[in-house]
């Protein structure tokens, strides 16, 4: 069997089209919207109309019929152009994947076309104040009440609730005690009585805001439950591996943007008549960052391909490795970009300083590098469990 590392004409054409769209908006648009308290709705709408947001959604529901390979490529290219759309990680990747795989036909018809063309957006709520990365400690409870479900609980660090039509909420069934992982996923409209969301003040320079979400006796119809109540674990992990791959794609976009800014400055900025990029003290660190970016891209593509092939047993290591590698590449590349610019790297003129928090959060969310290392140590190295 021959390995083929050529993306092919179709994916190259997709990259080119997305890059062209991103360049028409660019990093200045992204920063202007963010610093003025605005959003990137125009870009989101145009990306949806072009079919970019729904490349992974089945064709029969208005999508492109592709997979995570295509969707992660879209996010990477938009990020490299300076306008990465964080909600792509959540709405089409996590929520779209879960509903396409496990939703009823009515749920698919109701949500997937809108997620595909960008006219509807869905947030994802799993993290809780007292649970963190430990899904076994989820305290949000769903109990039956006749033909309805009633949800109670709290969620934190939920992206884009203010721009979402609904939230895919992860809770546990009332007959499963705390510490027992029996999750269930519910589609909760953001205007549902009992659901309130409070923005969290952040240092991130990003148009997508973070929220605390409170669920107080939120009543939902029976069909708000996605899939069968006993399939919750499968549904949950069907969304988490794509989340890691898309987080990697987001980080790659940030890293490539930082590299573009750093190398342009290193070619143009002269000291004593010589471009500073001619000095190995700057050239070598940037070259090392370039290598890290390329390695992370390869792993991201492999992880996306494994998921698209349904090879879930292998996808866990690959998705976590991709997320880890891309986050490290982003953090180091942004740091070196700032160093290359010197004091100018902290000015608003070049937009490099704005990438610092974005790159740093990549090491934390949606799963920290320490949790990834623990996962790999336990599951792939067969070392004793550490938590």
């Amino acid at each position: 069997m021959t390995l083929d590392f050529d993306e092919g004409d179709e994916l190259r054409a997709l990259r080119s089209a997305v890059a062209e769209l991103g360049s028409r908006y660019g990093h200045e648009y992204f920063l202007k919207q963010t610093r003025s308290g605005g959003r990137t709705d125009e870009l989101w709408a145009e990306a949806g109309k072009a079919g970019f947001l729904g490349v992974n959604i089945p064709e029969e529901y208005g999508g492109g019929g592709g997979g995570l390979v295509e969707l992660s490529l879209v996010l990477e290219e938009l990020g490299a152009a300076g306008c990465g759309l964080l909600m792509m990680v959540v709405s089409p990747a996590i929520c779209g994947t879960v509903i396409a795989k496990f939703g009823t036909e009515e749920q698919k018809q109701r949500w997937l076309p809108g997620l595909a063309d960008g006219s509807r957006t869905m947030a994802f709520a799993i993290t809780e104040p007292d649970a963190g990365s430990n899904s076994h400690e989820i305290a949000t409870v769903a109990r039956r009440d006749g033909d309805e479900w009633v949800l109670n609980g709290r969620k934190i660090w939920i992206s884009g609730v203010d721009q979402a039509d609904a939230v895919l909420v992860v809770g546990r069934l009332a007959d499963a005690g705390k510490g027992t992982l029996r999750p269930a996923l519910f589609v909760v409209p953001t205007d549902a009585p009992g659901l309130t969301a409070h923005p969290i003040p952040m240092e991130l320079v990003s148009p997508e805001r973070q929220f605390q979400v409170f669920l107080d006796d939120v009543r939902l119809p029976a069909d708000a439950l996605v899939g069968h109540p006993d399939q919750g674990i499968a549904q949950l992990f069907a969304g988490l591996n794509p989340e890691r791959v898309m987080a990697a794609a987001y980080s790659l976009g940030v890293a490539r943007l930082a590299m573009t800014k750093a190398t342009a400055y290193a070619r143009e900025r002269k000291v004593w008549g010589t471009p500073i990029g001619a000095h190995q003290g700057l050239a070598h660190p940037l070259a090392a960052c370039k290598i890290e970016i390329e390695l992370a891209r390869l792993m991201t593509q492999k992880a996306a391909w494994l998921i698209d092939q349904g090879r879930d047993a292998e996808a866990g290591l690959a998705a976590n490795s991709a997320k880890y590698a891309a986050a490290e590449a982003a953090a180091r590349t942004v740091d070196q970009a700032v160093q290359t610019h010197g004091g100018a790297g902290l000015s608003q003129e070049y937009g490099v300083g704005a990438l610092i928090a974005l790159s740093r959060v990549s090491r934390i969310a949606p799963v920290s590098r320490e949790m990834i290392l623990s996962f790999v140590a336990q599951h792939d190295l067969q070392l004793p469990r550490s938590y």
Side-chain angles (χ1 to χ4, degrees), residues 255-278:
R256 288 176 56 194
L257 176 63
M259 181 62 73
T260 297
K261 290 177 178 291
T263 52
Y265 189 82
R267 285 189 293 266
E268 297 166 2
R269 171 70 169 152
K270 292 183 178 180
V271 177
W272 293 295
T274 303
I276 60 174

Side-chain angles (χ1 to χ4, degrees), residues 36-88:
S36 66
R39 303 197 315 212
T40 52
D41 292 344
E42 302 94 338
L43 173 58
W44 182 270
E46 191 168 349
K49 185 178 180 180
F52 298 150
L53 300 181
V55 288
N56 66 315
I57 302 294
E59 288 182 294
E60 59 266 35
Y61 301 107
L68 202 59
V69 167
E70 289 84 358
L71 190 65
S72 60
L73 179 155
V74 170
L75 181 56
E76 179 192 338
E77 289 301 325
L78 287 175
C83 44
L85 298 174
L86 178 61
M87 288 304 289
M88 282 190 65

Side-chain angles (χ1 to χ4, degrees), residues 195-256:
L195 184 150
T196 55
H198 301 286
I200 302 171
M202 301 290 291
E203 296 291 352
L204 286 174
V205 183
S206 173
E208 295 93 355
R209 297 194 292 171
Q210 302 297 311
F211 290 84
Q212 293 188 69
V213 175
F214 298 86
L215 302 155
D216 298 307
D217 289 329
V218 176
R219 287 190 169 272
L220 301 169
D223 64 359
L225 174 69
V226 177
H228 192 277
D230 292 330
Q231 291 181 321
I233 292 180
Q235 295 167 30
L236 185 57
F237 285 99
L240 293 185
N241 278 337
E243 179 187 41
R244 281 151 175 67
V245 172
M246 291 295 285
Y250 189 86
S251 294
L252 285 172
V254 172
R256 288 176 56 194

